């Protein structure tokens, strides 16, 4: 049984790769979304450091939150 794979031309794949690794300047609305998101992520990180005992789990939670923040910002910049 073969693997399913997306049927994209070389040109479409190249365009997708270039888009993934290109800089996307933010417009004013996107900047505001990123700033608001940053405030929310900071508030959540502060909650984690206040209520979650110091240790591996807290560190992993903060790392996961940081990763989520990066993905959110990337999605906003590409949207």
């Amino acid at each position: 049984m073969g693997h399913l794979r997306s049927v994209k031309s070389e040109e479409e794949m190249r365009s997708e790769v270039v888009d993934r690794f290109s800089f996307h300047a933010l417009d004013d609305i996107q900047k505001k979304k990123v700033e608001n998101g940053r405030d929310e992520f900071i508030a959540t990180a502060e909650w984690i450091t206040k209520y979650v005992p110091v240790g591996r789990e807290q560190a992993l939670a903060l790392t996961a939150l940081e990763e989520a923040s990066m993905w959110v910002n990337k999605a906003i910049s590409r949207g």
Side-chain angles (χ1 to χ4, degrees):
M1 187 176 223
H3 293 283
L4 295 177
R5 69 181 244 182
S6 159
V7 179
K8 293 184 182 178
S9 69
E10 275 189 48
E11 184 178 325
E12 289 171 320
M13 287 301 298
R14 169 128 174 77
S15 177
E16 184 177 313
V17 166
V18 169
D19 185 59
R20 284 178 181 238
F21 295 97
S22 294
F23 174 76
H24 298 276
L26 301 178
D27 62 27
D28 290 340
I29 293 171
Q30 291 169 317
K31 286 178 187 176
K32 190 65 176 167
K33 287 178 182 179
V34 168
E35 290 167 5
N36 289 341
R38 184 179 303 121
D39 292 343
E40 295 297 327
F41 280 108
I42 288 170
T44 303
E46 288 172 339
W47 184 92
I48 290 169
T49 58
K50 182 175 181 178
Y51 293 107
V52 177
V54 173
R56 181 174 183 268
E57 292 82 2
Q58 185 196 74
L60 289 170
L62 291 170
T63 298
L65 187 65
E66 182 178 13
E67 181 180 7
S69 172
M70 290 186 296
W71 286 119
V72 165
N73 289 340
K74 183 160 186 153
I76 290 170
S77 74
R78 292 174 77 188

